[in-house]
Amino acid sequence: MRARELDYDRPDVDALCRLIERRKPVKAPQSASQPLRALVCLIADWQLGKAGEANGGTPETIQRICQALDLIPARIRELKRAGRPVESVYLVGLGDLVEQCSGHYPGQTFNVDLDRREQLRLARRLILRAVDNIIGLTPRTILAAVPGNHGENRLNGKAFTRTTDNDDLAVVEQVAEILAANPDRYESCTTVLATGNNLVLDIAGIPVAFAHGHKAGASGHPAAKLENWWKGQVMGRQPIADADILITGHYHHFICSETTGRTFIQAPAMDGGSAWWTDMSGQNSPAGMLTLGIGTGYGPRGWGDLHIHSA
Ligand SMILES: [Mn+2]
């Protein structure tokens, strides 16, 4: 075969260069019907009651959480000004909202500055503050929760009742009861609690799975573990098999991966750090609250406008 024949189907690179030079910049699409978008705010690994570590104890954690929660209304307004308004806000509890007092790791009892009832009281107040901050700013507010390992009802270090007998669900259930008792103010807020380890929600047309992330095995990089765990759920045709996005917490640092062809996101934690993890790895995951936009309005990926409210 001669070189001329090989050239036959090649694109004309000079013409492509002219096309790049002359192409007019694309304007943001304007459509009469509003594309679907929701703002998802992840309430992850607060571990209230955990005593002072690298970033302080419960008082410092409370300050960080309030600061992050108070920035949500500004984020909603920012997106509106940018021409990407959201039609709903999802507040999703990803688990480990309270530290609990024993049964999760050696020395836990020595490492807490509040008892369980006090921890839950603070979690309840903070979740209620989060709802109060955003109620009415969009037509719908959805409060949701999945169970974490620190929420488990444990005996001798093991969960001994059911997956759903969990403080991470109980505290959101308590808030839901408060909201239901005040329909005039909170009518636009609905609550969804996981009925097992995971939860799948249709968020503005995109199926999104939430799990705490502690059931994905013991060793390896968190993204690899969680993506492998997700593949198992797909093979077993579990409800989360059809999700386009999986969002978890548990490992405390931010990760976003598309290596499987679907999106896996691990939300950063809001707790005060872990001396145990720092001793082992040398690392200290920066605290932050992740928010992101999800919906068919974000195109084929289904998400965008990812932001970490660091405090
Ligand atoms: Mn955890």
Side-chain angles (χ1 to χ4, degrees):
M1 199 181 284
R2 290 177 313 182
R4 270 177 72 97
E5 288 174 55
L6 271 176
D7 287 347
Y8 187 74
D9 282 323
R10 294 185 68 215
D12 180 345
V13 71
D14 292 329
L16 290 176
C17 285
R18 283 194 298 277
L19 186 138
I20 293 166
E21 279 165 25
R22 290 173 191 170
R23 193 183 154 97
K24 291 202 171 71
V26 175
K27 288 187 181 142
Q30 302 283 332
S31 77
S33 60
Q34 199 59 253
L36 278 179
R37 291 188 194 93
L39 183 69
V40 179
C41 307
L42 298 157
I43 295 173
D45 298 275
W46 287 354
Q47 302 197 210
L48 296 168
K50 194 174 180 179
E53 301 248 8
N55 299 321
T58 305
E60 289 79 11
T61 301
I62 297 283
Q63 291 291 339
R64 260 196 309 278
I65 293 168
C66 285
Q67 208 175 321
L69 294 177
D70 293 353
L71 291 171
I72 300 175
R75 186 65 180 150
I76 294 169
R77 286 192 294 271
E78 245 169 42
L79 293 172
K80 192 174 181 181
R81 274 199 306 276
R84 298 189 299 282
V86 294
E87 49 93 32
S88 52
V89 180
Y90 286 73
L91 281 170
V92 184
L94 281 179
D96 287 2
L97 302 184
V98 295
E99 181 72 356
Q100 284 230 33
C101 301
S102 76
H104 296 79
Y105 56 89
Q108 185 178 17
T109 308
F110 188 76
N111 264 323
V112 292
D113 53 14
L114 295 173
D115 67 30
R116 182 180 171 200
R117 180 180 163 199
E118 292 167 331
Q119 294 174 14
L120 287 166
R121 186 176 174 204
L122 288 178
R124 205 159 53 233
R125 293 292 178 106
L126 286 167
I127 298 164
L128 200 52
R129 183 189 177 101
V131 174
D132 271 320
N133 275 353
I134 57 173
I135 195 83
L137 295 183
T138 55
R140 293 187 313 125
T141 304
I142 296 91
L143 177 63
V146 293
N149 51 310
H150 279 253
E152 287 174 356
N153 188 4
R154 289 190 178 187
L155 187 68
N156 300 323
K158 302 271 185 211
F160 75 108
T161 57
R162 287 185 287 190
T163 303
T164 49
D165 181 16
N166 190 294
D167 282 349
D168 294 313
L169 297 177
V171 73
V172 173
E173 184 175 54
Q174 290 158 8
V175 172
E177 288 176 358
I178 295 167
L179 303 181
N182 295 276
D184 288 349
R185 176 157 173 74
Y186 299 114
E187 202 181 7
S188 62
C189 185
T190 49
T191 307
V192 192
L193 297 175
T195 54
N197 183 62
N198 324 317
L199 179 66
V200 183
L201 297 174
D202 180 305
I203 300 185
I206 304 291
V208 185
F210 298 92
H212 179 62
H214 59 302
K215 301 235 167 138
S219 61
H221 188 277
K225 277 194 285 196
L226 265 300
E227 285 173 337
N228 193 43
W229 173 81
W230 194 6
K231 283 179 194 168
Q233 308 296 310
V234 172
M235 290 302 283
R237 298 190 178 88
Q238 297 302 319
I240 83 166
D242 293 329
D244 287 346
I245 303 169
L246 169 65
I247 302 178
T248 64
H250 187 58
Y251 292 103
H252 289 211
H253 49 276
F254 170 66
I255 301 175
C256 185
S257 163
E258 293 186 325
T259 55
T260 61
R262 301 193 200 178
T263 306
F264 163 66
I265 293 171
Q266 181 176 271
M270 286 297 266
D271 76 339
S274 164
W276 172 82
W277 172 244
T278 304
D279 288 346
M280 290 226 314
S281 67
Q283 297 167 17
N284 187 17
S285 307
M289 185 185 73
L290 180 69
T291 67
L292 77 161
I294 292 181
T296 51
Y298 284 100
R301 230 183 205 90
W303 63 272
D305 288 319
L306 188 146
H307 184 74
I308 298 174
H309 300 257
S310 299

